[in-house]
Amino acid sequence: MANTSSRTLRLLSLLQTHRHWSGLELADRLGVSERTLRRDIERLRELGYPVGAARGTDGGYQLAPGAVLPPLLLDDEEAVALAVGVGDAAQSGIAGMEEASLRALTKVVRVLPPRLRARVDALRAMTLSAVVSGPVVPTGVLTAVAQACRDEERLRFDYTARGSALTEREVESHRVVVLGGRWYLVAYDLGRHDWRSFRLDRLTEPTATGTRFRPRLLPAEDAVAFVQAASGPPAPYTVEVLVHAPSSRVRRVIGRWGTIEPLDQDSCRLTMTSTSLDWPTQALGNVGSEFEVLGPPEFAAHVQEWGARFLRATRAPARPSSP
């Protein structure tokens, strides 16, 4: 039988990797009696770990949220994965992650043994991460959704599908998927009686209902395959712009790739349809005139992002000229 200290650490590790354990299950995992298990649970409580207990047929133990974050127990592989993952979190498209990720990375790397630190350094040096340019997801939304998936708990939230009004949904959360720079929740929609994928940047006020559910069989190989099938080919954008230039000049540049409606001698309305917002942005740059975005909102945000990027480039320090 393992000594008391190592058994207590093993117990803590089990409690940190599972939401709920029955007493019989935990005792069996540790190879001790339920009476010994109760003593070990009490020892963890004395150390400051808030271990909750419930009686009855569904009773058992679980590590409850505390006033402060207790130390985590990680094996070698978990520690390396955590350090590498936290290092990339600043580019994850999750709002508010950058500063917190740097603080967390500093703490994790500081306590890694030299052999693990070398593995982390090698992995990060040989790995390239693409900068995420997709919509930003609030940390609270991602956390609430991920916890609902983990706990197999029904989730209620407000959702705005593209081109639709705000609706309230209640779902059985299955998995969170990152695909093409966007975050999705794959879930069974209880109101539509079917599986759906929800973009997290269009999801607000996620609230756990407290109702548990038995997982259903997903009608796909996995959650990623489901999102890919549900997304299908991207829907085209219809871009409308008021261009402060004569229609003849705009027509020479745009040609047959847009519809041009003259408004007066010095302005016209330009309409372009494209599955990518990059092409209309570049085309308007080629026109070389002032313009106003009439729609859609995604295009206005895209133009702002391009403008900010170009503005940052002009602020770069000039390189010293060669003698």
Side-chain angles (χ1 to χ4, degrees), residues 78-289:
E78 291 170 339
V80 171
L82 178 64
V84 173
V86 168
D88 286 339
Q91 301 180 56
S92 66
I94 304 301
M97 275 290 191
E98 182 173 0
E99 184 180 347
S101 298
L102 293 176
R103 294 199 310 268
L105 182 62
T106 300
K107 292 177 182 179
V108 171
V109 172
R110 184 183 298 143
V111 298
L112 287 178
R115 58 188 172 81
L116 296 186
R117 195 176 305 172
R119 287 177 59 185
V120 171
D121 291 343
L123 275 171
R124 290 194 54 78
M126 294 296 106
T127 304
L128 298 177
S129 298
V131 177
V132 172
S133 58
V136 174
V137 177
T139 308
V141 168
L142 178 65
T143 303
V145 170
Q147 287 178 345
C149 293
R150 180 199 65 184
D151 299 340
E152 296 175 354
E153 186 172 358
R154 289 182 179 178
L155 189 70
R156 188 179 293 120
F157 53 82
D158 293 332
Y159 191 71
T160 307
R162 183 175 178 180
S164 303
L166 181 72
T167 58
E168 184 180 278
R169 306 293 184 96
E170 185 170 344
V171 304
E172 295 177 353
S173 305
H174 178 67
R175 288 290 185 276
V176 174
V177 173
V178 186
L179 188 66
R182 290 183 170 87
W183 294 74
Y184 298 87
L185 165 64
V186 174
Y188 186 84
D189 191 321
L190 294 168
R192 275 84 178 155
H193 306 288
D194 199 3
W195 287 89
R196 292 286 191 273
S197 63
F198 302 93
R199 275 179 45 175
L200 295 195
D201 57 294
R202 296 175 177 169
L203 185 157
T204 57
E205 303 296 330
T207 305
T209 65
T211 303
R212 303 288 294 276
F213 63 87
R214 185 184 300 276
R216 302 170 189 261
L217 182 63
L218 182 69
E221 181 181 352
D222 54 33
V224 174
F226 180 84
V227 173
Q228 289 173 328
S231 301
Y237 295 94
T238 299
V239 172
E240 292 187 321
V241 182
L242 174 62
V243 184
H244 296 287
S247 58
S248 57
R249 175 180 170 184
V250 176
R251 189 171 287 108
R252 282 197 302 270
V253 177
I254 302 298
R256 62 186 179 87
W257 302 108
T259 301
I260 301 159
E261 176 190 351
L263 298 178
D264 54 41
Q265 291 184 345
D266 299 315
S267 64
C268 61
R269 182 193 298 268
L270 171 62
T271 303
M272 294 174 283
T273 301
S274 174
T275 56
S276 168
L277 294 177
D278 288 335
W279 183 84
T281 307
Q282 182 179 345
L284 285 164
N286 292 340
V287 171
S289 299

Side-chain angles (χ1 to χ4, degrees), residues 44-55:
L44 283 179
R45 289 170 177 160
E46 292 172 359
L47 293 173
Y49 293 93
V51 183
R55 298 181 180 275

